[in-house]
Amino acid sequence: MPADPTDRRLDLAALIAERGAERYELHTRYLNPQLPRMLRTIGFDKYYERAEGPYFYDAEGHEYLDMLAGFGIFALGRHHPVVRDAIEQVMELDLPDLTRFDCPPLPGLLAEQLLAHTPGLDRVFFGNSGTEAVETALKFARYATGRRRVLYCDHAFHGLTTGSLSVNGESGFRKGFDPLLPDTAVPLGDLDALARELKKGDVAALIVEPIQGKGVQAAPPGWLLAAQQLLHEHKALLICDEVQTGIGRTGDFFAYQHEEGVLPDLVCAAKALSGGYVPIGATLGKGWIFEKVYSSMDRVLVHSASFGSNAQAMAAGLATLQVMRDEKVVENSHTVGQLFRDRLSALLDRYELLADVRGRGLMIGIEFGRPKSLKLRTGWTALQAARKGLFAQMVVVPLLQRHRILTQVSGDHLEVIKLIPPLIITEREVDRFMEAFTDVMDDAHKGSGLMWDFGRTLVKQAVAGNRQG
């Protein structure tokens, strides 16, 4: 009698129960040793056991509100039943996946649905991540135009593989990985700088985030359209990186669609399209670009991805788009995002340490700034002298430790907290965050207490780190 396959099954629950307590030690020993060190330093070394929707739960059953969504991946929250069911279905079908010599239906169906949201774009390439989507766009733009230089914006983030790193506007990510591709930065919103570079005649494209993830800085009104016109006058392309801003994040399907008349030549998407289950990247583009890249049967595999268009990812993408439609997720992002920003903006006159609230949909930046009162200014100045960004970290930590809300500082050396929660949150979650945030800000404005004690600890660590560097 054949052996029962369940006798050979990997018992993941038992493995996690047996070894789960070693999680931080395992990372220290075998993965990035600085991650557990950083998490312990700021008190983020939690032991999360499960998750559902916009919440995590620890071993004691405590509920944590997720305002980070895995850097935007979990737009539908964690373990959405429709996406989970689609993954289970595709596994049960035993499809002949990735044969390399057939045309399975799921990639075509997902491409069809994606393109229905982007009039003027005609074709899709599926990869496995946001940085792959960017790499694809860079390659396609260079080949289609016959030029090699790509422009990008100061403070941009487009990924960390070599091509996408070449258009990364942050020196901290680039340091030590030179030489990179010969690409050039221009300030976000500066048409004159863009025009000067285009006049050199060697620019293939400009790649831009309609809202930059770092600092949650939006392109000025009208700039994208004007940039598009300039680019096309010089036979260069516009690439919109919507890896984080796309698939409903900003209250429209793609962020570039907020500005009438903007039609990028290439659009990069990923993160939310996965439904939080299977990695996926997508590069959408105009037909002539794809037809130039794939110009003959000899070039049929000139750009491909080993796991691109796999059935599990396609099923997750199709299920995600269905949930977006059925549950009106994009509309919720717009409505709840507006409510959230309005309520945060109402605090600007109440707290002198609060400088700005900005964003679109459920991509929100909360910026802190120099206070007016002498007592607060002394502490603020000490933090700034040690390392810019420490005050924002002072806010993030009690939000987690005291109120069980996970947030993030929006970039190195920035006094900005970025909120990118699951797009399914409601007024209930907004109420919870507002109550916690006002409590933390009330504490911060006392100018003393546990928050400022923690701030002094951060100052000491920053100074020690600077000396070691």
Side-chain angles (χ1 to χ4, degrees):
M1 180 179 294
D4 184 347
T6 59
D7 293 340
R8 303 190 303 275
R9 69 190 291 266
L10 174 63
D11 191 338
L12 285 173
L15 183 61
I16 292 171
E18 180 185 355
R19 304 288 304 277
E22 303 173 45
R23 63 191 71 189
Y24 285 91
E25 287 68 32
L26 289 168
H27 272 260
T28 300
R29 184 176 299 173
Y30 300 118
L31 301 170
N32 179 351
Q34 297 301 332
L35 176 60
R37 181 184 176 196
M38 179 271 289
L39 293 173
R40 287 180 174 126
T41 297
I42 63 173
F44 272 40
D45 52 334
K46 300 293 184 181
Y47 284 55
Y48 301 114
E49 299 295 331
R50 67 180 186 90
E52 181 179 355
Y55 295 101
F56 306 121
Y57 300 88
D58 62 21
E60 288 73 40
H62 296 134
E63 181 182 85
Y64 294 77
L65 175 59
D66 180 16
M67 283 283 162
L68 182 55
F71 296 140
I73 292 169
F74 295 96
L76 304 182
R78 282 170 166 77
H79 307 299
H80 194 286
V82 173
V83 184
R84 182 172 185 157
D85 177 69
I87 301 296
E88 291 172 351
Q89 284 188 59
V90 82
M91 297 296 288
E92 290 170 359
L93 287 172
D94 292 331
L95 295 174
D97 200 17
L98 300 177
T99 69
R100 304 301 176 194
F101 290 96
D102 76 336
C103 292
L106 295 182
L109 292 170
L110 180 55
E112 180 181 61
Q113 290 198 23
L114 271 177
L115 293 169
H117 291 279
T118 56
L121 301 182
D122 309 295
R123 297 184 182 275
V124 183
F125 175 85
F126 288 116
N128 307 287
S129 65
T131 196
E132 281 190 40
V134 169
E135 296 280 355
T136 299
L138 297 178
K139 285 181 66 176
F140 281 28
R142 285 184 161 104
Y143 192 84
T145 62
R147 299 171 179 176
R148 294 294 171 262
R149 196 159 60 103
V150 174
L151 305 180
Y152 61 97
C153 293
D154 291 335
H155 309 301
F157 184 91
H158 298 292
L160 297 175
T161 49
T162 301
S164 60
L165 188 61
S166 300
V167 290
N168 194 313
E170 284 305 310
S171 59
F173 287 111
R174 299 166 64 99
K175 185 178 180 181
F177 296 105
D178 295 327
L180 298 170
L181 301 177
D183 298 326
T184 306
V186 295
L188 181 70
D190 191 331
L191 284 174
D192 292 336
L194 176 61
R196 284 195 298 272
E197 294 300 328
L198 288 170
K199 286 178 182 178
K200 297 176 183 178
D202 63 341
V203 173
L206 166 71
I207 184 168
V208 60
E209 304 155 276
I211 302 177
Q212 290 187 333
K214 178 165 184 176
V216 193
Q217 295 286 358
W223 182 78
L224 266 182
L225 182 59
Q228 174 181 282
Q229 292 168 344
L230 263 179
L231 288 159
H232 289 172
E233 287 171 11
H234 290 83
K235 302 188 185 313
L237 307 182
L238 173 63
I239 304 169
C240 278
D241 179 351
E242 298 260 10
V243 168
Q244 186 164 106
T245 56
I247 323 293
R249 170 59 56 189
T250 63
D252 214 324
F253 195 82
F254 283 117
Y256 76 81
Q257 294 169 334
H258 287 278
E259 191 167 324
E260 187 175 355
V262 175
L263 176 58
D265 301 287
L266 293 158
V267 174
C268 305
K271 289 187 183 291
L273 189 59
S274 69
Y277 272 99
V278 185
I280 184 173
T283 306
L284 294 72
K286 293 180 177 176
W288 73 267
I289 298 172
F290 277 66
E291 288 151 20
K292 196 161 186 178
V293 171
Y294 298 112
S295 58
S296 68
M297 285 193 288
D298 288 343
R299 293 181 59 81
V300 67
L301 295 177
V302 73
H303 186 73
S304 62
S306 295
F307 287 95
S309 299
N310 72 81
Q312 290 87 353
M314 300 300 99
L318 286 164
T320 296
L321 295 185
Q322 179 176 306
V323 172
M324 291 273 181
R325 291 191 302 270
D326 292 350
E327 300 184 11
K328 301 187 183 307
V329 173
V330 180
E331 293 89 336
N332 188 71
S333 174
H334 174 82
T335 303
V336 176
Q338 186 65 58
L339 169 71
F340 211 163
R341 292 194 311 281
D342 287 348
R343 292 185 62 181
L344 286 165
S345 296
L347 300 178
L348 287 168
D349 292 334
R350 176 173 168 180
Y351 297 118
E352 58 181 294
L353 284 160
L354 191 58
D356 192 23
V357 174
R358 55 181 176 265
R360 276 198 206 118
L362 283 170
M363 185 172 184
I364 301 171
I366 304 172
E367 184 169 7
F368 305 102
R370 188 172 184 266
K372 296 178 181 178
S373 63
L374 178 60
K375 182 178 181 181
L376 290 176
R377 204 163 60 236
T378 300
W380 174 269
T381 302
L383 289 171
Q384 296 295 296
R387 182 181 176 86
K388 190 175 180 181
L390 293 187
F391 181 81
Q393 194 65 60
M394 275 175 54
V395 175
V396 162
V397 169
L399 282 173
L400 181 68
Q401 298 285 17
R402 194 185 305 168
H403 297 282
R404 301 193 184 106
I405 297 177
L406 181 64
T407 57
Q408 67 168 130
V409 177
S410 181
D412 205 15
H413 302 288
L414 282 184
E415 297 290 3
V416 180
I417 291 175
K418 179 166 65 174
L419 305 180
I420 45 172
L423 305 184
I424 59 169
I425 66 166
T426 66
E427 190 171 353
R428 172 179 179 251
E429 284 75 36
V430 174
D431 288 344
R432 175 168 170 179
F433 181 86
M434 294 301 301
E435 182 179 350
F437 185 68
T438 54
D439 174 70
V440 172
M441 292 303 288
D442 285 342
D443 194 5
H445 281 74
K446 293 175 184 175
S448 61
L450 292 176
M451 273 192 71
W452 288 98
D453 289 343
F454 176 67
R456 284 186 281 274
T457 300
L458 290 177
V459 167
K460 291 176 183 176
Q461 292 168 344
V463 170
N466 290 338
R467 287 171 180 165
Q468 290 173 4

